[in-house]
Amino acid sequence: MDITLIAIAFFILVAIVFLLLFLFKSINKKSFRAEDGSVFDSQSDLDVYQNLYEKTKPLFSNYDEKGSAQQILGFEKSFISKLKTEGFSDLQTLVKYRVQLKSLSDLINS
């Protein structure tokens, strides 16, 4: 037999073994699903997400410009609008909302 043929067969066999190990690990991997459909690898990650989701849920709900309050969870509607859609296009806008950005960071990290 030719040594090249043996080497090719050996590499194919090794590749098949690694593929089977990878597939076996993927199949047995347990995942945790949040209420909104997000998937996590561990229960602790899911718990952190669920807690944060409950705290920030009003920020992501649709609000009516005329019928609701000027603030949601202590954040101005203009800040939430910038955060969700427009973004902070310049330093002046970012500095204007620095206190609310700090409050949002504190909310997320608490």
Side-chain angles (χ1 to χ4, degrees):
M1 275 199 157
D2 189 74
I3 190 81
T4 308
L5 184 61
I6 294 172
I8 292 172
F10 176 74
F11 285 120
I12 290 174
L13 182 63
V14 169
I16 289 172
V17 167
F18 280 118
L19 180 63
L20 289 173
L21 285 173
F22 176 74
L23 290 175
F24 182 71
K25 284 179 102 176
S26 306
I27 291 171
N28 289 335
K29 193 174 191 180
K30 189 172 183 180
S31 61
F32 300 89
R33 188 172 300 275
E35 293 174 7
D36 66 349
S38 301
V39 178
F40 299 92
D41 293 332
S42 69
Q43 182 67 42
S44 62
D45 290 343
L46 174 63
D47 293 340
V48 168
Y49 178 80
Q50 284 291 110
N51 186 22
L52 186 57
Y53 179 75
E54 289 302 319
K55 285 195 263 185
T56 59
K57 196 178 206 177
L59 291 177
F60 300 103
S61 63
N62 293 331
Y63 54 85
D64 182 46
E65 290 291 332
K66 297 177 183 175
S68 59
Q70 289 297 327
Q71 291 190 345
I72 298 173
L73 292 179
F75 299 106
E76 296 175 15
K77 281 189 178 181
S78 58
F79 170 73
I80 295 171
S81 176
K82 290 268 185 205
L83 189 65
K84 288 170 57 173
T85 58
E86 302 167 27
F88 302 96
S89 59
D90 56 17
L91 181 60
Q92 183 180 11
T93 307
L94 192 61
V95 170
K96 177 182 175 185
Y97 293 111
R98 72 183 180 279
V99 173
Q100 292 191 44
L101 283 167
K102 174 77 168 97
S103 297
L104 181 61
S105 174
D106 292 343
L107 177 67
I108 290 171
N109 292 316
S110 64

